[in-house]
Amino acid sequence: METSGLLQQKEFSQKDAVVAVLANDYEYVAYIELKTKDVTLYRTSKTFEVLFNEIDKNLPMFERIFAFFKMLVLPEDLEGFMRSTAQDRVLLELQSCPSYEVFFRAKIGDDVFYYKLRFVAADKNIDSLIVGLCSFDEQVRAQIRHREDADARSLVEKQFEAIITERTSEIQAKNKALNRINEEIIELLGDITEARDVESGQHIKRVKGFTRILAEQVMQDWPQFKLTQNKVEIITSASALHDIGKITIPDAILLKPGKLTSAEFDIMKTHSLNGCDILKHAPQDWSEAYLSISIEICCCL
């Protein structure tokens, strides 16, 4: 008898310990005898007490609790809540875990809050349960705010990326247009040179071809010169202007069929510097890259 009394006292103490822990943090704590449906309320918040008092007091406590949760749970969550809290489901979960929790949304007045319902077996045979109800609204709302902030940051980043992509496309389009204008300017100047010297036309095409071959080889074998494909294109195009200064040479010398005299040859040699002077008077909005490379080629070829 004494041993039995000690065991009963031990079991009672364990139940009290669980109730004490839940009552410390939970807004609603109840002890339920499953066989008799007897219910002992240990704690209820003022809010829940007001809601609970709206239920018919003539109903048995177990039914009042059932009606209480039916009134508390958000209608959209009620079906899932009822499945999750069915007695068979709760007992099945408690066979493998010391406690079982169900999460749901509660409608109190015009507001919606996040709650969890916790079931703990009060004895080894799970003939009785300790039930606790508490809010975790702040945690959920913090998570929602964090997720919304993350979504907002992601949206801003995506918008920023879209702007960068759009601006990059615009810049690339403008660069293509500028390059086309530069090419047209160079072709025009090349045509002028060709108009003065019939042989210069084919000569210019050959120079451009050789220049491209040499520049691409340098880009491949001598990376220290830091040539890029874009710069190779500029050098190739600008090479067409290496003889632009010939338009300043008199026809009598430029088109002379025979050998030039020393004086005539000295005049012919001035076409390099004359070409540089012509290019230095190019429009200010002409590409600096094309202009500087063209002048350098004129000086050296």
Side-chain angles (χ1 to χ4, degrees):
M1 291 294 292
E2 293 180 0
T3 304
S4 176
L6 288 173
L7 290 174
Q8 290 177 1
Q9 182 65 33
K10 183 178 180 182
E11 291 173 359
F12 180 78
S13 297
Q14 288 176 347
K15 183 193 76 171
D16 278 358
V18 173
V19 169
V21 170
L22 293 182
N24 191 48
D25 297 319
Y26 284 62
E27 301 171 49
Y28 176 97
V29 180
Y31 173 76
I32 303 173
E33 289 281 355
L34 296 179
K35 292 181 180 180
T36 62
K37 304 299 184 183
D38 289 334
V39 178
T40 304
L41 279 178
Y42 284 91
R43 182 182 181 188
T44 180
S45 66
K46 290 292 183 182
T47 300
F48 290 156
E49 186 176 351
V50 171
L51 293 173
F52 203 74
N53 287 335
E54 295 179 8
I55 302 168
D56 187 357
K57 294 181 175 58
N58 295 320
L59 292 173
M61 180 61 77
F62 191 83
E63 293 184 19
R64 290 186 72 194
I65 291 176
F66 179 81
F68 167 72
F69 279 106
K70 191 172 181 180
M71 177 179 62
L72 182 66
V73 178
L74 196 68
E76 297 94 303
D77 294 353
L78 185 59
E79 184 179 349
F81 177 83
M82 298 304 294
R83 286 198 307 268
S84 300
T85 58
Q87 184 171 316
D88 291 343
R89 173 67 181 276
V90 174
L91 295 178
L92 179 63
E93 295 290 343
L94 290 177
Q95 286 176 3
S96 56
C97 298
S99 66
Y100 168 56
E101 292 181 336
V102 176
F103 299 87
F104 65 93
R105 291 175 296 174
K107 186 172 178 61
I108 303 176
D110 295 329
D111 298 318
V112 174
F113 301 91
Y114 296 85
Y115 276 86
K116 67 177 177 180
L117 185 62
R118 185 176 183 182
F119 298 90
V120 182
D123 53 64
K124 293 181 180 179
N125 298 324
I126 319 180
D127 292 326
S128 56
L129 300 174
I130 300 170
V131 181
L133 177 64
C134 78
S135 168
F136 67 109
D137 192 72
E138 283 303 314
Q139 297 95 310
V140 172
R141 295 191 187 280
Q143 292 174 359
I144 292 174
R145 286 194 297 270
H146 178 73
R147 185 165 61 248
E148 289 175 346
D149 290 344
D151 291 342
R153 287 195 299 271
S154 177
L155 179 61
V156 171
E157 289 172 358
K158 288 180 180 178
Q159 291 174 339
F160 185 71
E161 289 175 2
I163 292 172
I164 293 298
T165 300
E166 182 180 354
R167 294 293 183 270
T168 301
S169 298
E170 291 176 358
I171 292 172
Q172 289 175 342
K174 289 180 180 179
N175 285 339
K176 287 182 180 179
L178 287 174
N179 287 341
R180 186 174 64 254
I181 292 172
N182 289 325
E183 293 286 347
E184 290 174 354
I185 291 173
I186 290 174
E187 287 180 8
L188 177 61
L189 293 175
D191 290 341
I192 294 173
T193 303
E194 184 178 5
R196 291 293 319 282
D197 184 356
V198 177
E199 293 184 358
S200 293
Q202 292 302 316
H203 174 66
I204 288 172
K205 292 179 181 179
R206 288 195 297 269
V207 168
K208 289 181 67 175
F210 291 140
T211 300
R212 179 182 294 279
I213 293 171
L214 290 171
E216 288 182 344
Q217 197 67 40
V218 170
M219 179 178 65
Q220 178 180 337
D221 296 339
W222 289 277
Q224 62 267 33
F225 289 103
K226 299 180 180 180
L227 284 186
T228 62
Q229 189 60 48
N230 181 60
K231 196 165 186 179
V232 167
E233 296 298 330
I234 294 175
I235 292 172
T236 300
S237 180
S239 68
L241 299 181
H242 73 284
D243 273 344
I244 187 65
K246 282 186 176 181
I247 63 174
T248 65
I249 305 300
D251 287 347
I253 297 175
L254 181 65
L255 303 179
K256 183 177 178 179
K259 184 177 180 180
L260 299 177
T261 65
S262 296
E264 291 171 336
F265 188 58
D266 287 338
I267 294 174
M268 178 64 78
K269 287 189 292 184
T270 63
H271 82 277
S272 295
L273 295 178
N274 293 342
C276 291
D277 290 337
I278 292 172
L279 293 176
K280 287 177 182 178
H281 289 85
Q284 292 183 352
D285 56 353
W286 193 32
S287 169
E288 177 63 27
Y290 276 88
L291 182 59
S292 61
I293 291 176
S294 297
I295 290 175
E296 188 174 354
I297 288 175
C298 270
C299 288
C300 301
L301 293 181

